Amino acid sequence: MLVSSLATGFTTGAGLIVCIGSQNAFVLRQGLLRSHTAMVATVCIVSDVFLIFCGLSGLGFIVKQWPGVIDVVRYAGAAFLAVNAYGAAKRAWQGSGVLDPSTTQGGSLKQLLLTCLGYTWLNPHVYLDTVVMLGSLSLHYDGDEKWHFGAGAMLASAVWFIAITYGARLLLPLFHNPNAWRILDGLIALMMAYLSVTLLVMPLAVIA
């Protein structure tokens, strides 16, 4: 049962984490720039591990009992995404020439840390996926099996963020073309703008 619950946790976690979103777009861009990649991957992984642990510990009831907490994160996240959508659109419009990862810093460590934390902790979906969804699914398991399930989900997060952070360099030959960066930033701007509007107009459903 160890392998079964671990594998189920891994596939479930991967299904929730592996998707097109603002956080993954940010991580991919930093991977392409080779800018503080270890820090970015670590923040994302540690945040997911902590939130999954909270879900398995039964703290999902906080989100269910006080949906206003999610609303606060929802509006803050919408504003955060709107600001970053503007920044990405500006980069796409102006262009930055050929960005050489060996010389491009991609921002200060403090700035990147705060941005990475913003993409992670101001995303209301992360709470619903990790704390509520995984926490609820873990109730199907007893004793150690519940934590094996959680360990599988945590492992999925680690594998995913390491893969897109360090695997992004495989795309570097494409991004020697400045137009590729402009297209990427344009797509990121559209995605973030769409997610920002979605958070504002569509209430988030909390699983009962």
Side-chain angles (χ1 to χ4, degrees):
M1 294 299 293
L2 165 62
V3 175
S4 176
S5 53
L6 189 69
T8 302
F10 184 91
T11 54
T12 303
L16 294 172
I17 296 167
V18 180
C19 61
I20 299 174
S22 56
Q23 182 193 46
N24 288 336
F26 167 75
V27 174
L28 176 62
R29 193 175 196 280
Q30 293 308 127
L32 287 167
L33 291 173
R34 296 184 186 175
S35 175
H36 303 296
T37 51
M39 181 274 291
V40 170
T42 300
V43 168
C44 293
I45 293 169
V46 170
S47 296
D48 268 8
V49 167
F50 176 75
L51 290 169
I52 292 170
F53 175 82
C54 288
L56 268 64
S57 298
L59 297 184
F61 78 92
I62 295 177
V63 177
K64 294 180 182 180
Q65 294 296 321
W66 291 284
V69 173
I70 287 294
D71 283 334
V72 171
V73 178
R74 172 186 165 199
Y75 291 117
F80 177 80
L81 289 173
V83 171
N84 282 276
Y86 171 77
K90 185 177 180 181
R91 290 194 305 266
W93 177 262
Q94 295 179 343
S96 304
V98 178
L99 296 181
D100 183 357
S102 64
T103 59
T104 303
Q105 295 301 313
S108 67
L109 177 60
K110 180 180 178 180
Q111 178 185 358
L112 283 175
L113 176 60
L114 292 176
T115 302
C116 190
L117 289 171
Y119 277 119
T120 302
W121 292 90
L122 293 180
N123 176 11
H125 292 285
V126 75
Y127 299 97
L128 298 182
D129 289 344
T130 57
V131 179
V132 178
M133 179 69 80
L134 289 175
S136 298
L137 291 175
S138 72
L139 296 177
H140 293 99
Y141 298 91
D142 296 320
D144 291 341
E145 287 186 8
K146 179 175 73 172
W147 295 104
H148 297 157
F149 172 84
M154 295 173 186
L155 180 61
S157 173
V159 170
W160 170 247
F161 285 116
I162 291 173
I164 61 173
T165 302
Y166 293 97
R169 63 190 61 188
L170 298 176
L171 300 174
L172 280 176
L174 173 65
F175 285 88
H176 285 308
N177 183 338
N179 289 327
W181 285 100
R182 299 184 72 174
I183 291 171
L184 175 64
D185 282 325
L187 292 174
I188 290 175
L190 289 173
M191 178 195 306
M192 291 186 183
Y194 168 76
L195 293 174
S196 177
V197 172
T198 300
L199 287 178
L200 289 175
V201 302
M202 293 181 62
L204 297 169
V206 178
I207 299 173

